[in-house]
Amino acid sequence: MPFDLTSYTIRRKILTILGAKFHVYRPDGSVAAFSKQKAFKLKEDIRLFTDETMATELLSIQARQIIDFAAAYDVVDSAEGRKLGAARRKGWSSIFRDSWEVLDEDDQPIAKLKEDSALAAFVRRMIGLIPQTFHLRGMDGKPIATLRVRFNPFVYKLDVELDPDCELDSRLVLAVGVLLAAIEGRQKS
Amino acid sequence: MAPTVEFHCEHCDSLCRAAKSMVGGIINCKECGQATEVPGMNDPAWRMLNMGAVIFVAGITTLIYMRAGPTPALIVGVVLFALLKLLSLAL
């Protein structure tokens, strides 16, 4: 099981012109997953593989719509061939403060992801380069994970810390992290 | 009740139903449990692209009809339509 740890780092190269590359690292620095995002794709389609050979696919994250303003992204476990759930970006609220919803396989909300505070979000939108922090909580407010962008103007790095008692599938949390790196990271780059 | 769409599972071919808002997305088939795509495009951008493509083909064909006559216009129209159809399938 490649995603059984509680801590990961997602790295995205900002200066990649034709598409983007993502690496998901374990705390010991080894690669847990790799993804190469194709450029000029109308619909976002992110595939996570075990390594750079891209021989074994782990997860597939596909947008339902072309416009990603408030689009939902379905997350499928490629080995099992089953949809695990989805992540939906809340378009209007994200203008002021990035917010996402995590949905179960029947499209029912099971968790919410928000930027740490409205004030910090406002300051970030006024002055760039201030790294973001996101909190993923269950619908009952129980913490699930914290996602922190590191301060680095050249390489986008996102630390994902799952709560030890996290009841949400860690693959869904990782998928949300990759989406943040792909969508939010691209908007800020 | 929310409007639904019916389609066949791409793995077991059984009849599936999904909310119309799921068009273009993925659901798990109730029969075989495998992830299957809800076919179609329910996307404002896609509809605009389609409309734009139709206007583009009609405009070019009319222009060629006026300049060079019906046969070249027909050929260009058919070729453009086929190219756009291929492009939409590739996307």
Side-chain angles (χ1 to χ4, degrees), chain B residues 60-80:
Chain B
I60 294 280
T61 313
T62 311
L63 203 71
I64 292 173
Y65 176 76
M66 289 191 311
R67 294 262 169 105
T71 313
L74 184 70
I75 293 166
V76 169
V78 169
V79 169
L80 276 179

Side-chain angles (χ1 to χ4, degrees), chain A residues 42-43 62-67 74 76 80-83 105-107, chain B residues 22-26 28 30 33-35 41-43 45-46 49 91:
Chain A
L42 267 185
K43 261 174 82 172
Q62 290 178 54
R64 286 181 203 165
Q65 295 192 328
I66 298 167
I67 297 174
D74 293 306
V76 176
E80 291 174 16
R82 277 188 66 81
K83 177 179 163 180
E105 60 178 272
D106 296 318
D107 246 19
Chain B
M22 285 298 299
V23 166
I26 292 166
N28 285 333
K30 298 271 187 248
Q34 294 284 292
M41 277 278 190
N42 181 24
D43 196 309
W46 188 250
L49 269 175
L91 293 172

Side-chain angles (χ1 to χ4, degrees), chain A residues 73-91:
Chain A
Y73 299 84
D74 293 306
V75 181
V76 176
D77 182 300
S78 308
E80 291 174 16
R82 277 188 66 81
K83 177 179 163 180
L84 302 171
R88 182 163 54 205
R89 186 167 187 263
K90 296 174 94 178

Side-chain angles (χ1 to χ4, degrees), chain B:
Chain B
M1 198 176 147
T4 57
V5 287
E6 287 187 345
F7 58 97
H8 289 273
C9 169
E10 57 196 71
H11 304 285
C12 68
D13 205 38
S14 60
L15 188 69
C16 299
R17 278 186 191 88
K20 212 172 175 185
S21 59
M22 285 298 299
V23 166
I26 292 166
I27 63 156
N28 285 333
C29 170
K30 298 271 187 248
E31 286 297 319
C32 69
Q34 294 284 292
T36 185
E37 198 173 324
V38 185
M41 277 278 190
N42 181 24
D43 196 309
W46 188 250
R47 285 200 293 270
M48 275 171 63
L49 269 175
N50 272 327
M51 201 179 289
V54 169
I55 293 168
F56 172 74
V57 173
I60 294 280
T61 313
T62 311
L63 203 71
I64 292 173
Y65 176 76
M66 289 191 311
R67 294 262 169 105
T71 313
L74 184 70
I75 293 166
V76 169
V78 169
V79 169
L80 276 179
F81 180 78
L83 282 175
L84 286 170
K85 189 75 195 164
L86 281 174
L87 186 68
S88 76
L89 287 175
L91 293 172

